[in-house]
Amino acid sequence: MEYKYQFTSHAEKDLDDVLSYLEFTVASPTATKNFLKKLRLTLSNICLFPNSYKLIQNKYINNIHIRKALVMQYILYYSIDSLNNRIIIIRFSHSEQNEDDFFKNNK
């Protein structure tokens, strides 16, 4: 069964920040368009095969199974709500950001 996805408020803000950066700082409509295309494809794949992406191990998150998927140079973090057939998009971060620091500072 295919899952549906929903963004947390943090993920929505992260996505807005990424899109603003691509649109106004990089000033590239092509980069923004490519990112959105890759994001849609990744979300579609996650909804079809939610367990196919890597489960992360991090000392700052306990009892939460979080997976990550690469979307261009950004990492999409998500969890699976199997009872409701839903994917929860938790956050986005830049791929060069230290994962320990990211979760330590974003509890």
Side-chain angles (χ1 to χ4, degrees):
M1 172 175 259
E2 185 173 340
Y3 285 64
K4 302 294 181 199
Y5 64 86
Q6 80 178 58
F7 288 80
T8 64
S9 58
H10 287 296
E12 286 177 350
K13 183 185 179 318
D14 293 341
L15 181 57
D16 285 344
D17 291 347
V18 169
L19 294 174
S20 291
Y21 173 77
L22 293 173
E23 187 173 345
F24 300 111
T25 304
V26 176
S28 172
T30 303
T32 305
K33 183 178 175 182
N34 289 341
F35 176 82
L36 288 170
K37 183 178 178 181
K38 177 68 174 168
L39 176 60
R40 282 190 289 273
L41 178 63
T42 301
L43 288 170
S44 177
N45 288 335
I46 290 171
C47 287
L48 288 172
F49 309 104
N51 292 301
S52 63
Y53 290 88
K54 184 178 180 179
L55 190 62
I56 67 168
Q57 302 281 327
N58 191 286
K59 62 186 174 187
Y60 296 106
I61 53 173
N62 297 316
N63 304 319
I64 303 172
H65 298 284
I66 297 177
R67 295 180 179 273
K68 66 180 180 179
L70 190 62
V71 180
M72 294 178 62
Q73 68 270 30
Y74 296 91
I75 299 174
L76 178 156
Y77 294 98
Y78 71 95
S79 62
I80 303 167
D81 177 358
S82 298
L83 293 176
N84 296 304
N85 292 333
R86 192 171 42 186
I87 302 298
I88 310 299
I89 310 302
I90 300 170
R91 296 296 305 256
F92 287 89
S93 75
H94 194 276
S95 61
E96 293 185 13
Q97 186 168 3
N98 180 286
E99 197 169 89
D100 283 342
D101 289 343
F102 180 74
F103 283 105
K104 178 181 179 182
N105 297 322
N106 290 291
K107 288 184 180 181

